[in-house]
Amino acid sequence: MFSTLSSRAPRPLAALAPRALPLIAAAPKLRPTVSIRAKPLRALSATMSTAVPPAAIVKDNTRPLVLSGPSGAGKSTLLTRLFKEYPGVFGFSVSHTTRKPRDGEVDGVSYYFTTRDKFQELIAQHAFIEWAEYSKNLYGSSVQAVKQVVEQGKICILDIDMQGVKIVKNTNLNARYVFVQPPSLEVLEARLKGRGTESAETLADRLAAAKAELEYAATGAHDYVIVNDNIDEAYTKLTAWIKEHYQV
Ligand SMILES: Nc1ncnc2c1ncn2[C@@H]1O[C@H](COP(=O)(O)OP(=O)(O)OP(=O)(O)O)[C@@H](O)[C@H]1O
């Protein structure tokens, strides 16, 4: 039930989702079936002159931005750069935890500190986008906490995996979805090895999960896909897309 994939310290909205939560599969995108070449020229020009222009993109900072992709695809690298370039514009939601506060930690700022019973209640209410257990403590990211970031006037970023994406799609958060894709599974493996965070076992788990992530992305579940071959180019694509869809 609990995630065993992550050997790193938990961070907001980056933990793995519980496998037991209900999943909603995304529908594949439909392609138009009418060929304009079948029409006579006169009809074609009439169609072109009366064609409805594509709807303008509405910039809406209240829509959370979901960044997903296989572990090692480069999400953290891109987000670190984004937060640095646009201080105060983006925010992560505050996570819930059952661990005790450390010196200096403030409830509602560092974490929402909660009891195990209350946490279990929230799980039963499907309040979490993701939750997991690390070192006998529960950590979770709630839909409500995302809304609080939006209420503060920040663009809420969710760095989540496929299971989390499916859950967010089943909420009223009205998010936008960007997928960060590695150039290949071989390159992904090399990057994960290079990061030095994985044992042989977690590496194999992450690569298996990566295949499922790529298959899910191939269904057209995301609004935009960035292949992270070169990090500078990937970052330029991300910021260009953000400027098109958000007021930054
Ligand atoms: N375009 C790139 N070229 C080469 N190395 C890269 C590129 N993008 C990221 N990396 C490196 O790949 C490793 C994985 O990147 P990162 O930690 O950002 O992935 P992630 O998607 O956030 O993974 P996780 O979900 O496990 O946190 C890091 O060591 C990072 O420096």
Short mmCIF file of all heavy atoms in Angstrom, two decimals, residues 115-142:
data_model
loop_
_atom_site.label_atom_id
_atom_site.label_comp_id
_atom_site.label_asym_id
_atom_site.label_seq_id
_atom_site.Cartn_x
_atom_site.Cartn_y
_atom_site.Cartn_z
N THR A 115 -2.61 14.47 13.73
CA THR A 115 -2.49 13.16 14.38
C THR A 115 -2.71 12.07 13.34
O THR A 115 -3.25 12.32 12.26
CB THR A 115 -3.58 13.00 15.46
OG1 THR A 115 -4.86 13.06 14.79
CG2 THR A 115 -3.48 14.07 16.53
N ARG A 116 -2.30 10.86 13.71
CA ARG A 116 -2.48 9.73 12.79
C ARG A 116 -3.97 9.46 12.55
O ARG A 116 -4.37 9.17 11.42
CB ARG A 116 -1.79 8.49 13.40
CG ARG A 116 -1.39 7.51 12.36
CD ARG A 116 -0.47 6.42 12.89
NE ARG A 116 -0.18 5.54 11.78
CZ ARG A 116 0.89 5.62 11.01
NH1 ARG A 116 1.83 6.52 11.26
NH2 ARG A 116 1.06 4.80 10.00
N ASP A 117 -4.76 9.59 13.61
CA ASP A 117 -6.21 9.36 13.46
C ASP A 117 -6.83 10.34 12.48
O ASP A 117 -7.61 9.98 11.60
CB ASP A 117 -6.93 9.49 14.82
CG ASP A 117 -6.74 8.25 15.67
OD1 ASP A 117 -6.18 7.27 15.13
OD2 ASP A 117 -7.12 8.28 16.85
N LYS A 118 -6.47 11.62 12.66
CA LYS A 118 -7.01 12.66 11.77
C LYS A 118 -6.55 12.42 10.32
O LYS A 118 -7.32 12.58 9.38
CB LYS A 118 -6.54 14.04 12.28
CG LYS A 118 -6.95 15.21 11.42
CD LYS A 118 -8.44 15.50 11.51
CE LYS A 118 -8.85 16.53 10.48
NZ LYS A 118 -10.28 16.58 10.24
N PHE A 119 -5.29 12.01 10.20
CA PHE A 119 -4.73 11.75 8.86
C PHE A 119 -5.51 10.61 8.19
O PHE A 119 -5.89 10.69 7.02
CB PHE A 119 -3.24 11.39 8.97
CG PHE A 119 -2.48 11.53 7.68
CD1 PHE A 119 -1.62 12.60 7.48
CD2 PHE A 119 -2.59 10.59 6.67
CE1 PHE A 119 -0.90 12.74 6.29
CE2 PHE A 119 -1.90 10.73 5.48
CZ PHE A 119 -1.05 11.80 5.29
N GLN A 120 -5.79 9.54 8.97
CA GLN A 120 -6.53 8.39 8.43
C GLN A 120 -7.93 8.83 8.00
O GLN A 120 -8.46 8.36 6.98
CB GLN A 120 -6.66 7.27 9.48
CG GLN A 120 -5.33 6.75 10.00
CD GLN A 120 -4.64 5.79 9.02
OE1 GLN A 120 -5.02 5.71 7.86
NE2 GLN A 120 -3.60 5.11 9.47
N GLU A 121 -8.51 9.74 8.79
CA GLU A 121 -9.84 10.28 8.46
C GLU A 121 -9.79 11.00 7.11
O GLU A 121 -10.68 10.83 6.28
CB GLU A 121 -10.22 11.32 9.52
CG GLU A 121 -11.55 11.13 10.19
CD GLU A 121 -11.71 12.14 11.29
OE1 GLU A 121 -11.95 13.32 10.98
OE2 GLU A 121 -11.54 11.77 12.48
N LEU A 122 -8.74 11.79 6.93
CA LEU A 122 -8.60 12.54 5.67
C LEU A 122 -8.40 11.59 4.49
O LEU A 122 -8.93 11.81 3.41
CB LEU A 122 -7.42 13.53 5.77
CG LEU A 122 -7.64 14.71 6.70
CD1 LEU A 122 -6.34 15.48 6.92
CD2 LEU A 122 -8.70 15.65 6.15
N ILE A 123 -7.66 10.50 4.71
CA ILE A 123 -7.49 9.50 3.64
C ILE A 123 -8.87 8.94 3.27
O ILE A 123 -9.23 8.85 2.09
CB ILE A 123 -6.57 8.34 4.09
CG1 ILE A 123 -5.13 8.84 4.28
CG2 ILE A 123 -6.61 7.20 3.06
CD1 ILE A 123 -4.19 7.81 4.89
N ALA A 124 -9.66 8.60 4.28
CA ALA A 124 -10.99 8.02 4.03
C ALA A 124 -11.88 9.00 3.27
O ALA A 124 -12.74 8.59 2.49
CB ALA A 124 -11.63 7.61 5.35
N GLN A 125 -11.66 10.29 3.51
CA GLN A 125 -12.47 11.32 2.82
C GLN A 125 -11.91 11.65 1.42
O GLN A 125 -12.39 12.57 0.77
CB GLN A 125 -12.50 12.60 3.66
CG GLN A 125 -13.26 12.48 4.96
CD GLN A 125 -12.95 13.63 5.91
OE1 GLN A 125 -12.25 14.57 5.57
NE2 GLN A 125 -13.47 13.53 7.13
N HIS A 126 -10.86 10.95 1.01
CA HIS A 126 -10.20 11.20 -0.28
C HIS A 126 -9.72 12.65 -0.37
O HIS A 126 -9.79 13.28 -1.43
CB HIS A 126 -11.12 10.87 -1.46
CG HIS A 126 -11.53 9.44 -1.50
ND1 HIS A 126 -10.66 8.44 -1.82
CD2 HIS A 126 -12.71 8.84 -1.24
CE1 HIS A 126 -11.27 7.26 -1.74
NE2 HIS A 126 -12.52 7.49 -1.39
N ALA A 127 -9.24 13.17 0.77
CA ALA A 127 -8.80 14.57 0.81
C ALA A 127 -7.43 14.75 0.16
O ALA A 127 -7.06 15.86 -0.19
CB ALA A 127 -8.74 15.05 2.26
N PHE A 128 -6.68 13.64 0.01
CA PHE A 128 -5.31 13.77 -0.48
C PHE A 128 -5.17 13.48 -1.98
O PHE A 128 -5.81 12.57 -2.51
CB PHE A 128 -4.38 12.81 0.27
CG PHE A 128 -4.19 13.19 1.70
CD1 PHE A 128 -4.63 12.37 2.72
CD2 PHE A 128 -3.56 14.39 2.04
CE1 PHE A 128 -4.46 12.73 4.06
CE2 PHE A 128 -3.39 14.75 3.36
CZ PHE A 128 -3.84 13.92 4.37
N ILE A 129 -4.31 14.26 -2.62
CA ILE A 129 -3.91 13.97 -4.00
C ILE A 129 -2.90 12.83 -3.94
O ILE A 129 -2.93 11.90 -4.73
CB ILE A 129 -3.30 15.22 -4.65
CG1 ILE A 129 -4.36 16.31 -4.78
CG2 ILE A 129 -2.68 14.88 -6.01
CD1 ILE A 129 -3.78 17.67 -5.11
N GLU A 130 -1.98 12.95 -2.99
CA GLU A 130 -0.97 11.91 -2.80
C GLU A 130 -0.70 11.78 -1.31
O GLU A 130 -0.78 12.76 -0.58
CB GLU A 130 0.37 12.30 -3.44
CG GLU A 130 0.34 12.44 -4.93
CD GLU A 130 1.72 12.71 -5.49
OE1 GLU A 130 2.48 13.50 -4.89
OE2 GLU A 130 2.05 12.14 -6.52
N TRP A 131 -0.38 10.60 -0.88
CA TRP A 131 0.13 10.43 0.48
C TRP A 131 1.04 9.21 0.50
O TRP A 131 0.96 8.35 -0.39
CB TRP A 131 -1.00 10.30 1.51
CG TRP A 131 -1.85 9.09 1.36
CD1 TRP A 131 -2.98 8.98 0.58
CD2 TRP A 131 -1.67 7.80 1.95
NE1 TRP A 131 -3.49 7.71 0.65
CE2 TRP A 131 -2.70 6.97 1.50
CE3 TRP A 131 -0.72 7.27 2.83
CZ2 TRP A 131 -2.82 5.64 1.89
CZ3 TRP A 131 -0.84 5.94 3.23
CH2 TRP A 131 -1.88 5.14 2.75
N ALA A 132 1.90 9.19 1.48
CA ALA A 132 2.84 8.07 1.59
C ALA A 132 3.38 8.03 3.01
O ALA A 132 3.22 8.98 3.78
CB ALA A 132 3.98 8.23 0.59
N GLU A 133 4.01 6.91 3.36
CA GLU A 133 4.61 6.78 4.69
C GLU A 133 6.13 6.71 4.55
O GLU A 133 6.65 5.94 3.75
CB GLU A 133 4.10 5.52 5.39
CG GLU A 133 4.68 5.37 6.79
CD GLU A 133 3.79 4.54 7.71
OE1 GLU A 133 2.76 4.05 7.25
OE2 GLU A 133 4.15 4.41 8.89
N TYR A 134 6.81 7.54 5.32
CA TYR A 134 8.27 7.54 5.38
C TYR A 134 8.67 7.46 6.84
O TYR A 134 8.17 8.27 7.64
CB TYR A 134 8.87 8.83 4.80
CG TYR A 134 8.55 9.09 3.36
CD1 TYR A 134 7.41 9.82 3.02
CD2 TYR A 134 9.36 8.63 2.33
CE1 TYR A 134 7.09 10.08 1.70
CE2 TYR A 134 9.05 8.87 1.01
CZ TYR A 134 7.92 9.60 0.70
OH TYR A 134 7.60 9.85 -0.61
N SER A 135 9.56 6.57 7.17
CA SER A 135 10.07 6.45 8.54
C SER A 135 8.95 6.52 9.58
O SER A 135 9.00 7.30 10.53
CB SER A 135 11.08 7.57 8.84
OG SER A 135 12.03 7.64 7.83
N LYS A 136 7.92 5.74 9.36
CA LYS A 136 6.79 5.60 10.29
C LYS A 136 5.95 6.86 10.45
O LYS A 136 5.14 6.98 11.35
CB LYS A 136 7.28 5.12 11.66
CG LYS A 136 7.93 3.76 11.60
CD LYS A 136 8.16 3.18 12.95
CE LYS A 136 8.80 1.82 12.79
NZ LYS A 136 9.58 1.42 13.94
N ASN A 137 6.15 7.84 9.59
CA ASN A 137 5.28 9.03 9.61
C ASN A 137 4.55 9.14 8.27
O ASN A 137 5.10 8.79 7.23
CB ASN A 137 6.11 10.30 9.82
CG ASN A 137 6.63 10.39 11.24
OD1 ASN A 137 5.86 10.28 12.19
ND2 ASN A 137 7.93 10.58 11.37
N LEU A 138 3.33 9.62 8.36
CA LEU A 138 2.52 9.80 7.15
C LEU A 138 2.70 11.23 6.63
O LEU A 138 2.78 12.19 7.42
CB LEU A 138 1.05 9.55 7.46
CG LEU A 138 0.70 8.11 7.85
CD1 LEU A 138 -0.68 8.04 8.50
CD2 LEU A 138 0.75 7.20 6.63
N TYR A 139 2.77 11.36 5.31
CA TYR A 139 2.87 12.67 4.65
C TYR A 139 1.83 12.69 3.53
O TYR A 139 1.64 11.68 2.86
CB TYR A 139 4.25 12.87 4.02
CG TYR A 139 5.39 12.94 5.01
CD1 TYR A 139 5.98 11.78 5.50
CD2 TYR A 139 5.88 14.17 5.43
CE1 TYR A 139 7.03 11.84 6.40
CE2 TYR A 139 6.94 14.24 6.33
CZ TYR A 139 7.50 13.07 6.81
OH TYR A 139 8.56 13.14 7.70
N GLY A 140 1.19 13.81 3.35
CA GLY A 140 0.19 13.88 2.27
C GLY A 140 0.00 15.28 1.75
O GLY A 140 0.30 16.27 2.43
N SER A 141 -0.49 15.36 0.52
CA SER A 141 -0.76 16.66 -0.12
C SER A 141 -2.26 16.73 -0.40
O SER A 141 -2.77 15.91 -1.17
CB SER A 141 0.01 16.76 -1.42
OG SER A 141 1.38 16.61 -1.16
N SER A 142 -2.93 17.69 0.21
CA SER A 142 -4.39 17.73 0.08
C SER A 142 -4.85 18.70 -1.00
O SER A 142 -4.16 19.67 -1.32
CB SER A 142 -5.02 18.12 1.42
OG SER A 142 -4.79 19.49 1.68
#
